[in-house]
Amino acid sequence: MLALGIESTAHTYGCSVINSRKKGLKQILSNERDTYTTKKGGIIPMEAAEHHEAVKEKVLQAALKKAKVNLEDIQLIAFSQAPGLPPSLRVGTEHAKKLAKQLKVPLVGVNHCIAHLEIGKLASGAKDPVFLFISGANTQVISYAAKRYRIFGETLDMGLGNFIDSFARSVGIGFPGGPKISELAEKSNKFIELPYSVKGMDVAFSGMLTNLKQKYQGKKYKLADLAFSLQEHAFAMVIEVAERAMAYLKKKELIAIGGVAANKRFRKMADIMCRERKGKFYVPPREFVTDNAAMIAYTGALMYRADKKYALNAKTADFKPYQRTDEVDVRWVGKTNL
Ligand code: ATP
């Protein structure tokens, strides 16, 4: 089956064509995108939507051309239905509805966060992993259990990436702080004790952030030593909760997704933990970790092949800005290799 995926939850407009008859990542025939950027400051939702309107046809044509298919060959349209910024989501939803009506093919709405999990599984070959989602705003331990992708643990205050960025900003080393803190940390191996906050399978970073800022302002500690200690504590915290979830669920695979998973020291620590448990640790390629449409096309095709009832009415389908990962009824897992 040839499926077209459309991604438009936030700053990226993406279109991808997949051929679900092929195996593994070979089924991704194209994965095109155009990302709205600002010179300074964060995303302005209405501007992102204007960007998406302006580029949507161009991105679609690029995806078809790269995949060497015609629009008329597409047999399924999948779009990122949730969660995200309403103005951005609206552009992709309307585009997908228009194409589904025009081509008279099924339309499937996909949860963007779940699509990250599914493409992670496809890229790694993992069958039933625990996921550690560590981006700017998100820190969650997720796994499939009883027909849902369930959140077993999460941050009680800020996301791991935002925590690192906040400290970096407070010491004047700019944004994004993650790569810069990582570089500094490599220059040190002096372990300074910091607040370590794990509650069951949840974590909290604000205590460590305040403590780090105080230590830096007190001028008794070198920044590199603080960066090193920050990484050692914060990564140990998220790896501890991931390990607890693996033990509790009796799972042997761990997949890390989100920008912080790029960190070398984090990868090393996670890899050691998994090997000690005789398990496997995996980080999907960057292309699938950032917002992309291939994961939408792939997940939409999985859903539709497992249950035709996932198809939406192309006239009335709507986006869901606030849908949580664990709200989605997952009827395709276990039928993955159809
Ligand atoms: P969200 O989707 O949660 O709103 P986002 O789109 O900003 O967040 P990502 O691009 O997945 O998320 O991640 C960005 C975060 O990853 C930033 O906080 C950045 O500092 C962090 N990051 C990037 N590279 C590294 C690294 N090498 N080490 C640690 N953190 C990193």
Side-chain angles (χ1 to χ4, degrees), residues 11 135-138 161-162 164-165 176-179 182 235 258-260 262-263 286:
H11 40 50
S135 64
N138 292 293
N162 286 354
I164 299 174
D165 293 340
S182 169
F235 298 159
V260 184
N263 186 287
R286 185 86 193 137

Side-chain angles (χ1 to χ4, degrees), residues 164-177 180-181 184 213 216-217 223:
I164 299 174
D165 293 340
S166 294
F167 178 63
R169 210 176 302 117
S170 76
V171 299
I173 54 173
F175 178 86
K180 289 176 184 152
I181 290 289
L184 277 167
K213 284 183 184 170
Y216 180 72
Q217 282 157 7
L223 186 54

Side-chain angles (χ1 to χ4, degrees), residues 6-14 36 43-53 56 79-95 291 319 321:
I6 297 179
E7 158 61 34
S8 80
T9 51
H11 40 50
T12 297
Y13 202 84
Y36 153 86
I43 183 166
I44 300 164
M46 292 312 291
E47 278 187 12
E50 279 166 27
H51 162 269
H52 293 355
E53 278 293 351
K56 65 183 188 187
F79 69 103
S80 55
Q81 190 181 19
L85 301 170
S88 295
L89 283 166
R90 178 171 292 116
V91 180
T93 305
E94 292 309 320
H95 195 192
D291 291 355
F319 51 88

